């Protein structure tokens, strides 16, 4: 997806410092991006190090971020977007570990 391409571009451009993301209030769309970015980064790191899929918990990630900035991820649609984007990345990584024999395409990492 275009959004995950953006997440991966940000990941590649990260230096030693934090990234800065901000929408109008800094909690809804910003929180959505931060949650997806954080979990995608963790997924990729874990798979690279352990060659297995880690457990993920979107709600606990949001709650952790809300301790730092209250209100992160505000709406049902934003939660659903997080789950959809993270699910897409999760499936891509899982299939890169062991694509099913019936899958007709070669996955590019």
């Amino acid at each position: 997806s275009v959004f995950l391409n953006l997440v991966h571009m940000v990941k590649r451009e990260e230096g030693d410092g934090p990234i800065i993301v901000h929408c109008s209030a800094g909690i809804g769309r910003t929180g959505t991006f931060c949650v997806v970015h954080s979990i995608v980064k963790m997924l990729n790191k874990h798979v690279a190090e352990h060659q297995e899929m880690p457990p993920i918990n979107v709600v606990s990630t949001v709650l952790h971020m809300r301790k730092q900035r209250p209100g992160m991820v505000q709406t049902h649609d934003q939660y659903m977007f997080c789950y959809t984007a993270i699910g897409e990345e999760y499936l891509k990584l899982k299939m890169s570990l062991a694509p099913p024999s019936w899958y007709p395409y070669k996955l590019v990492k």
Side-chain angles (χ1 to χ4, degrees):
S1 77
V2 173
F3 184 78
L4 285 174
N5 288 340
L6 174 65
V7 169
H8 286 289
M9 282 187 346
V10 169
K11 190 174 74 173
R12 277 194 304 273
E13 297 300 322
E14 285 179 18
D16 293 332
I19 60 171
I20 297 173
V21 180
H22 210 290
C23 59
S24 57
I27 56 177
R29 290 165 290 173
T30 297
T32 301
F33 179 88
C34 290
V35 167
V36 173
H37 178 267
S38 176
I39 292 176
V40 163
K41 187 174 179 179
M42 179 276 298
L43 281 171
N44 280 280
K45 182 177 184 207
H46 187 91
V47 168
E49 292 174 359
H50 304 286
Q51 295 300 302
E52 67 178 13
M53 298 307 295
I56 57 173
N57 190 324
V58 175
V59 173
S60 69
T61 302
V62 170
L63 292 175
H64 175 74
M65 289 187 176
R66 283 182 178 171
K67 289 178 183 174
Q68 299 168 45
R69 182 145 178 101
M72 296 287 262
V73 186
Q74 294 179 296
T75 68
H76 178 264
D77 287 342
Q78 289 168 348
Y79 260 106
M80 294 309 298
F81 187 88
C82 288
Y83 277 100
T84 301
I86 292 163
E88 185 178 323
E89 183 74 8
Y90 191 95
L91 181 60
K92 182 186 86 172
L93 287 169
K94 185 171 176 105
M95 291 180 66
S96 75
L97 289 174
S101 59
W102 55 263
Y103 195 73
Y105 306 104
K106 179 176 167 89
L107 295 171
V108 178
K109 292 184 183 181

